[in-house]
Amino acid sequence: MTDLHRLIENFLVDYAQCLDDGRFAEWPGFFDPAHCRYEILSRENVDLGLPAPILSCYSHGMLVDRVTMLVKQTLTYRPMYLRRQITNVRVRLAGADMAVVRANLVVYQSDMEGVSSLYMVGRSEDEILVANERPLLRRKTIILDSFGVDTMLAVPL
Amino acid sequence: MTDLHRLIENFLVDYAQCLDDGRFAEWPGFFDPAHCRYEILSRENVDLGLPAPILSCYSHGMLVDRVTMLVKQTLTYRPMYLRRQITNVRVRLAGADMAVVRANLVVYQSDMEGVSSLYMVGRSEDEILVANERPLLRRKTIILDSFGVDTMLAVPL
Amino acid sequence: MTDLHRLIENFLVDYAQCLDDGRFAEWPGFFDPAHCRYEILSRENVDLGLPAPILSCYSHGMLVDRVTMLVKQTLTYRPMYLRRQITNVRVRLAGADMAVVRANLVVYQSDMEGVSSLYMVGRSEDEILVANERPLLRRKTIILDSFGVDTMLAVPL
């Protein structure tokens, strides 16, 4: 492994581009099919030690289900362009083939009239399997500073 | 070339600092004098396959013209501080000496009273010649999620 | 030193995480105890060559004093979550063991109801001692594009 940080950062950027581009069918492919978890929590709950997530997918099949309506475009919601900024990436090895990664996440939305605004602010805490050439998410936890955004759960973060 | 990603990221940061600092006369120097193109498109048009740009400079001379009024300060416009955030940089080699680079771009404006706000959100897609020590832009395409910003075209992005 | 840029970027991210997490007692530890300076200036003043800072700490003891009220939680202020985005990091060596670093800084605030907004926009100019394994700040200067934020000085940037 020549540069773990670069490998991870490219992986996170590819993940964000996939979602920014609306290629939702590809999203589950970023997770380990054998064992994975995707959760969204509020920072308030995390700080108080309350573990209940706002949203949780704890199998690969649930991830596929999660985006089925988006892929088939049968879900009715106001279409918005989202743009995800991944910054402050910090990578630590935990064992021979697992990276524990923390990053900040800021997402902007732009409506069809081209008006942009802040959508959400938070951070991600990921466990990423780096045994093979292509990294795979074992666990992605997104912790929201902004938990008042009602459209938040329409598309993955 | 020891680290292409670092070379490119430093180049993009230098480009953004040049514009953030208002050193507009230096801006054309980031482009290949022999052959270059600078275009701004709306994401709406790109997604619909409509190639008409909002703004296009397709020679080095046009880039120099573009900033002449800014350099001479004869252009009348409300002065604003801009600050460009380059994130989600993804570098791919295309041939021996050409890098194809995608990045997200978020720009904030601050007026003379120190009030800051979101100015634009979008991405850049660049073709960067890396044959020499100093990279040079062959092509910079900026694709705007925010296309309602009327002051957008006063200064380069 | 295998990769100075990575060392510095990790250091800046750790600094931001420390403050984002509200671990204020750890903040002075990022500075060289023997000799350090922390200053906040407005961009307007910097551009006009006026050196008066909005805030200045010019010894390690002053940094400790600065956060004492925050650590003891005796300071009365409206609690807000802050999230710092460090981008556009540019590292240059100045002598054998000193790095001169410029970066952009954007901070978001989120209130206890989970409503997020832009808090400040600016840049940092740091002098970082890299003689030892752990970098240490000799000087951190934060230059604000946003100088109208009245709560700005409650917590360090």
Side-chain angles (χ1 to χ4, degrees):
Chain A
M1 203 174 303
T2 49
D3 185 344
L4 179 67
H5 188 103
R6 179 63 49 222
L7 182 79
I8 295 292
E9 205 164 278
N10 281 347
F11 176 74
L12 295 180
V13 166
D14 289 346
Y15 176 100
Q17 281 189 2
C18 170
L19 292 175
D20 284 357
D21 292 350
R23 293 180 273 114
F24 298 116
E26 297 175 29
W27 177 65
F30 287 91
F31 291 82
D32 184 356
H35 175 65
C36 60
R37 184 175 281 265
Y38 168 79
E39 287 187 321
I40 300 180
L41 293 96
S42 75
R43 182 166 168 176
E44 190 180 36
N45 274 32
V46 171
D47 286 356
L48 292 170
L50 302 171
I54 296 172
L55 181 148
S56 179
C57 297
Y58 42 85
S59 75
H60 204 260
M62 288 183 74
L63 295 173
V64 175
D65 282 357
R66 182 87 186 75
V67 287
T68 298
M69 284 184 300
L70 296 168
V71 173
K72 294 186 176 169
Q73 303 196 304
T74 56
L75 184 63
T76 303
Y77 66 105
R78 187 168 172 230
M80 297 293 263
Y81 288 133
L82 296 186
R83 188 156 303 282
R84 291 153 180 84
Q85 278 189 313
I86 312 288
T87 65
N88 297 34
V89 177
R90 198 65 168 90
V91 178
R92 285 184 179 85
L93 262 182
D97 57 3
M98 186 67 72
V100 173
V101 183
R102 176 169 160 167
N104 280 356
L105 175 65
V106 172
V107 187
Y108 300 92
Q109 62 184 351
S110 300
D111 66 19
M112 295 301 113
E113 282 73 46
V115 178
S116 298
S117 58
L118 184 62
Y119 181 63
M120 64 79 69
V121 176
R123 72 175 193 264
S124 61
E125 293 188 351
D126 299 339
E127 294 173 17
I128 302 177
L129 193 66
V130 289
N132 308 305
E133 194 57 38
R134 177 173 161 78
L136 285 173
L137 279 161
R138 270 287 170 84
R139 184 172 196 136
K140 180 176 270 294
T141 306
I142 292 168
I143 300 163
L144 306 173
D145 297 348
S146 325
F147 46 88
V149 180
D150 59 357
T151 55
M152 187 83 74
L153 304 180
V155 296
L157 292 174
Chain B
M1 201 175 304
T2 49
D3 185 344
L4 179 67
H5 189 102
R6 181 63 51 222
L7 182 78
I8 294 292
E9 206 165 276
N10 281 347
F11 176 74
L12 294 179
V13 166
D14 288 346
Y15 177 99
Q17 281 189 4
C18 170
L19 293 175
D20 284 356
D21 291 350
R23 294 180 272 115
F24 298 117
E26 296 175 29
W27 177 65
F30 287 91
F31 291 82
D32 183 357
H35 176 65
C36 60
R37 182 176 282 264
Y38 169 79
E39 287 188 320
I40 299 180
L41 293 96
S42 74
R43 180 166 170 177
E44 190 181 35
N45 273 31
V46 171
D47 285 356
L48 292 171
L50 302 171
I54 296 171
L55 181 148
S56 179
C57 298
Y58 41 85
S59 76
H60 205 260
M62 289 183 74
L63 295 173
V64 175
D65 282 357
R66 183 86 186 72
V67 286
T68 298
M69 285 183 300
L70 296 167
V71 173
K72 293 185 177 168
Q73 303 194 305
T74 56
L75 184 64
T76 302
Y77 66 106
R78 186 170 172 227
M80 298 293 263
Y81 288 133
L82 296 186
R83 188 156 303 281
R84 291 152 181 84
Q85 278 189 313
I86 312 289
T87 66
N88 297 37
V89 178
R90 198 64 169 89
V91 179
R92 287 185 179 85
L93 262 183
D97 57 3
M98 185 67 73
V100 174
V101 183
R102 176 168 160 167
N104 280 356
L105 175 65
V106 172
V107 188
Y108 300 92
Q109 62 184 349
S110 301
D111 65 19
M112 295 300 114
E113 281 74 46
V115 178
S116 299
S117 58
L118 184 62
Y119 180 64
M120 65 78 68
V121 176
R123 72 175 192 265
S124 61
E125 293 188 353
D126 298 340
E127 293 172 19
I128 302 176
L129 193 66
V130 289
N132 309 306
E133 196 56 38
R134 179 174 159 77
L136 285 173
L137 279 161
R138 271 287 171 83
R139 184 171 196 138
K140 180 177 270 293
T141 306
I142 291 168
I143 299 165
L144 305 173
D145 298 348
S146 323
F147 46 88
V149 181
D150 59 358
T151 54
M152 187 83 74
L153 305 180
V155 295
L157 292 174
Chain C
M1 202 176 304
T2 50
D3 185 344
L4 179 66
H5 188 103
R6 179 63 50 223
L7 182 78
I8 294 292
E9 206 165 277
N10 281 346
F11 176 74
L12 295 179
V13 166
D14 288 346
Y15 177 100
Q17 281 189 3
C18 170
L19 293 175
D20 283 357
D21 291 350
R23 293 180 273 115
F24 298 116
E26 298 175 29
W27 176 65
F30 288 91
F31 291 81
D32 183 357
H35 176 64
C36 60
R37 184 176 280 265
Y38 168 79
E39 286 188 321
I40 299 180
L41 293 96
S42 75
R43 181 166 169 175
E44 191 180 35
N45 274 30
V46 171
D47 285 356
L48 292 170
L50 302 171
I54 296 171
L55 181 148
S56 180
C57 297
Y58 42 85
S59 76
H60 204 260
M62 288 183 74
L63 295 173
V64 175
D65 283 356
R66 182 87 186 74
V67 286
T68 297
M69 285 184 299
L70 296 168
V71 173
K72 294 186 178 167
Q73 303 195 305
T74 56
L75 185 63
T76 302
Y77 66 105
R78 186 170 173 228
M80 297 293 264
Y81 288 134
L82 297 185
R83 189 156 302 282
R84 291 152 180 86
Q85 279 188 312
I86 311 288
T87 65
N88 297 35
V89 177
R90 198 66 169 89
V91 178
R92 286 185 180 84
L93 262 182
D97 58 3
M98 186 66 74
V100 173
V101 182
R102 175 170 161 168
N104 280 355
L105 175 65
V106 172
V107 187
Y108 300 91
Q109 62 184 350
S110 300
D111 64 20
M112 295 301 114
E113 281 74 45
V115 178
S116 299
S117 58
L118 184 62
Y119 180 64
M120 64 78 69
V121 176
R123 72 175 192 264
S124 62
E125 293 187 353
D126 298 339
E127 294 173 18
I128 302 176
L129 193 66
V130 289
N132 308 305
E133 196 56 38
R134 179 174 159 76
L136 285 173
L137 280 160
R138 271 286 171 83
R139 184 173 195 135
K140 179 176 273 293
T141 306
I142 291 168
I143 300 164
L144 306 173
D145 297 347
S146 325
F147 46 88
V149 181
D150 59 357
T151 55
M152 187 83 73
L153 304 180
V155 296
L157 292 174

